[in-house]
Amino acid sequence: MASRLQPSRAILDLGDEFYDPVAAADFPQTILRFRNDRAAAEVGLEGLSDAAWVRHFGRFAPLPGSLDQPLALRYHGHQFRTYNPNIGDGRGFLFAQVRDMNGRLMDLGTKGTGQTPWSRFGDGRLTLKGGVREVLATEMLQALGVDTSRSFSLIETGEALERGDEPSPTRSAVLVRLSHGHIRIGTFQRLAYLRDADTMARLVDYVLGKLYGEPGGDPVRLLQHVVARAARLAASYMAAGFVHGVLNSDNINVTGESFDYGPWRFTPTWDPGHVAAYFDHAGLYAFGRQPEAIHWDVMQLAVSLRVLTDAEPLIAALEAFPDLYQSEVTAALLWRLGIMPRGTTEDRALVQAIEPVLRATETPIDRFFFDAFGGRLPDRYDEPFAGVRAALTPYRPRKCRSDTYWSGEPCSMLIDEVETLWSAIDERDDWAPFDAKLAAIRAMGEALA
């Protein structure tokens, strides 16, 4: 085991009202397909041999000093605005807790590890395609400045799965995520549903102390943190052109870290109506409605915290969201443009100039931000962009374009390319295009950073 590993068992402080001990499925095979050594280095696990990696993240032998047994976490949630008290970790669990190089408490959670008490009618498995898609999503989002869970490990498991939304039988996998906590808004909703104020107070204390590093159990202070982080999350999705697809309250982490990637998409153009989930018929979680959706979810946290405190300070915390979001989306767009802020008025005017032109011209988002990086538009951006060009003129670049990355083409992750990458794996077991894409994404991240 790597000597820098700092294991933790902090989740046990919450008590067994929050989880159910479970066992991982026994898979026919364990073929290592992806290991995230960048993320592993942050938690002291980069020194593991491939055999040891598979033993821990395919067979789920406990990490020394961390949890003795996996825990399926309990929570409720609103799913497309309908409350569901019958959910929880249905095909995953909390495998281990560790500290990263900055001392933050990190969770290693799974997807596809078999059935739990919360599986309902599901088989508890994950398709290999679903695992590949999550790796691509998290790597792309990290490169684009989104605070996201990290795809830590992907192991093919040798089972044939039947699925109604893709050709079946299809290949199976198990994914491990590295996240800054797995406590969801839905975790609080469950305790409010049960009217369990004492346990709710213990959860508030855990989140503030373990995840925010702030002593005391003030529910209003917790909500203020979550409102700020959620506003940043919504803003970062917009700047990245990302559509999560399923922004249910059980999919919102109280640290504001994006996670749980099912039917995600990157929108090709600035299209507020672009949806990711084929079943989102009303466009509830469309690209342009994501800030509204995330704000609504945070409201459910405020409602849950009413078992501990009065409504007025909670309402005041919620009302900060719109202004925080405007500040965060401005900062995120300036970051992606590679320019230094000039002041609130000028910066917001620039954002207000860009969005309608992108929408009206249907300019590819990734192409525009690639070309405009550093604050100078090429001449081919003609009359519709005259106002954008004028607004950009006074800005100074935060990073020059001397990097060789900027002499190539923009890196995108649109659905057609995702399908092409998967086809190479599915039809020929060819992982080279997938590996090349990860290298290109990471090169973009380094150029943007």
Side-chain angles (χ1 to χ4, degrees), residues 150-173:
R150 313 280 288 281
S151 295
F152 195 77
S153 172
L154 181 65
I155 291 175
E156 188 168 359
T157 55
E159 295 178 311
L161 302 180
E162 295 292 335
R163 291 292 186 268
D165 57 353
E166 62 176 289
S168 294
T170 189
R171 295 155 71 174
S172 59

Side-chain angles (χ1 to χ4, degrees), residues 372-423:
F373 189 84
R376 297 295 178 269
L377 277 175
D379 292 340
R380 67 176 178 275
Y381 286 83
D382 51 15
E383 179 55 34
F385 286 87
V388 174
R389 189 186 306 279
L392 279 170
T393 298
Y395 281 87
R396 293 186 298 110
R398 66 171 173 83
K399 189 176 181 181
C400 70
R401 293 185 59 136
S402 60
D403 192 309
T404 55
Y405 170 79
W406 301 107
S407 64
E409 290 294 312
C411 182
S412 298
M413 184 55 69
L414 303 181
I415 186 61
D416 289 347
E417 183 172 10
V418 175
E419 293 296 331
T420 298
L421 293 170
W422 168 245
S423 293

Side-chain angles (χ1 to χ4, degrees), residues 176-421:
V176 177
R177 301 178 177 126
L178 180 67
S179 299
H180 184 35
H182 269 88
I183 304 298
R184 310 150 189 258
I185 288 175
T187 313
F188 287 85
Q189 289 182 282
R190 174 179 169 271
L191 298 177
Y193 179 89
L194 298 173
R195 301 184 184 279
D196 190 346
D198 291 342
T199 308
M200 176 83 80
R202 192 157 75 249
L203 179 60
V204 171
D205 188 67
Y206 175 89
V207 173
L208 279 173
K210 305 295 187 184
L211 302 180
Y212 281 100
E214 194 168 293
D218 181 356
V220 176
R221 184 60 181 149
L222 171 62
L223 183 62
Q224 290 170 337
H225 279 303
V226 177
V227 166
R229 295 286 185 89
R232 182 183 303 171
L233 174 65
S236 67
Y237 281 170
M238 300 305 289
F242 181 71
V243 190
H244 183 283
V246 191
L247 290 174
N248 297 329
S249 61
D250 58 297
N251 287 339
I252 303 296
N253 189 330
V254 293
T255 62
E257 183 185 74
S258 177
F259 80 113
D260 203 6
Y261 301 100
W264 59 267
R265 296 282 191 277
F266 283 89
T267 180
T269 62
W270 198 277
D271 175 7
H274 191 87
V275 296
Y278 67 87
F279 47 81
D280 187 4
H281 304 295
L284 183 64
Y285 299 142
F287 175 58
R289 296 185 67 184
Q290 291 182 120
E292 168 202 340
I294 291 173
H295 191 195
W296 191 93
D297 287 330
V298 178
M299 289 179 191
Q300 308 320 304
L301 175 60
V303 171
S304 300
L305 292 172
R306 278 287 287 115
V307 304
L308 297 179
T309 191
D310 295 332
E312 288 77 8
L314 297 172
I315 291 170
L318 282 173
E319 288 176 342
F321 185 95
D323 286 344
L324 287 168
Y325 169 75
Q326 288 300 326
S327 296
E328 292 288 356
V329 77
T330 300
L333 287 167
L334 264 61
W335 177 86
R336 194 167 181 192
L337 284 165
I339 55 179
M340 300 293 293
R342 297 187 66 240
T344 301
T345 301
E346 295 90 338
D347 296 343
R348 290 191 178 178
L350 174 60
V351 169
Q352 290 166 359
I354 289 172
E355 290 184 9
V357 175
L358 287 181
R359 185 166 62 247
T361 61
E362 299 184 350
T363 300
I365 290 177
D366 297 319
R367 178 88 258 174
F368 170 78
F369 284 110
F370 182 89
D371 290 342
F373 189 84
R376 297 295 178 269
L377 277 175
D379 292 340
R380 67 176 178 275
Y381 286 83
D382 51 15
E383 179 55 34
F385 286 87
V388 174
R389 189 186 306 279
L392 279 170
T393 298
Y395 281 87
R396 293 186 298 110
R398 66 171 173 83
K399 189 176 181 181
C400 70
R401 293 185 59 136
S402 60
D403 192 309
T404 55
Y405 170 79
W406 301 107
S407 64
E409 290 294 312
C411 182
S412 298
M413 184 55 69
L414 303 181
I415 186 61
D416 289 347
E417 183 172 10
V418 175
E419 293 296 331
T420 298
L421 293 170

